[in-house]
């Protein structure tokens, strides 16, 4: 079981992500739809992994949260976006990107992939995920 920060500005999408992760036995931090609340949540309870929408509309830029998590906790972060070129600009910050639209059912597989990598196993990410970098072993 992992604690997963979810940052998504579309309410129904955020609820679907939360539901899929909880159904798979994980705990969810959030979901929230803005930078300030996401950083506050992280300060209160360190997430094991984060799933962050790149463009949060009025809530800010998901890259700010990703950079905070990388600098402060070196936490695994995946950006959720259709703007893959923008996400690639964060190759040094995030583990990768899951391209929208995606099946929320694939999110638990993404978390399993993270757990396998952190545990030292080799694993393949689910379809629709582009990996930029993984932790040094």
């Amino acid at each position: 079981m992992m604690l997963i920060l979810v940052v998504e500005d579309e309410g129904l999408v955020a609820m679907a992500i939360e539901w899929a992760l909880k159904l798979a036995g994980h705990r969810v931090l959030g979901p929230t739809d803005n930078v300030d609340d996401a950083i506050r949540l992280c300060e209160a309870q360190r997430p094991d992994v984060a799933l962050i929408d790149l463009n949060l509309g009025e809530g800010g830029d998901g890259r700010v949260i990703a950079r905070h998590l990388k600098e402060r906790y070196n936490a695994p972060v995946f950006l959720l976006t259709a703007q893959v070129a923008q996400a690639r600009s964060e190759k040094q910050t995030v583990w990768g990107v899951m391209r929208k639209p995606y099946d929320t059912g694939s999110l638990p597989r993404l978390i399993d992939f993270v757990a396998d990598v952190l545990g030292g196993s080799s694993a393949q990410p689910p379809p629709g995920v582009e990996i930029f970098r993984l932790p040094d072993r």
Side-chain angles (χ1 to χ4, degrees), residues 63-120:
R63 291 175 283 204
V64 172
I65 304 161
R67 291 176 191 143
H68 177 81
L69 287 167
K70 167 75 171 135
E71 291 168 11
R72 182 134 176 141
Y73 305 111
N74 199 28
V77 174
F78 285 87
L79 296 174
L80 308 175
T81 187
Q83 289 85 31
V84 175
Q86 285 182 347
R88 287 184 183 128
S89 71
E90 295 299 317
K91 283 185 176 185
Q92 299 304 314
T93 306
V94 303
W95 279 29
V97 62
M98 179 170 263
R99 289 182 291 282
K100 287 183 175 181
Y102 55 83
D103 174 9
T104 55
S106 64
L107 293 171
R109 289 193 304 269
L110 176 59
I111 302 306
D112 291 343
F113 165 78
V114 171
D116 288 346
V117 169
L118 291 174

Side-chain angles (χ1 to χ4, degrees), residues 2-6 17 21 26-30 47-51 107 111:
M2 297 186 92
L3 178 62
I4 305 154
L5 173 67
V6 174
I17 293 170
L21 295 172
H26 299 291
R27 295 184 307 135
V28 174
L29 191 57
D48 297 313
V49 64
L51 304 175
L107 293 171
I111 302 306

Side-chain angles (χ1 to χ4, degrees), residues 12-33:
L12 291 176
V13 174
M15 288 188 330
I17 293 170
E18 179 182 24
W19 181 80
L21 295 172
K22 285 184 173 180
L23 192 63
H26 299 291
R27 295 184 307 135
V28 174
L29 191 57
T32 187
D33 63 357

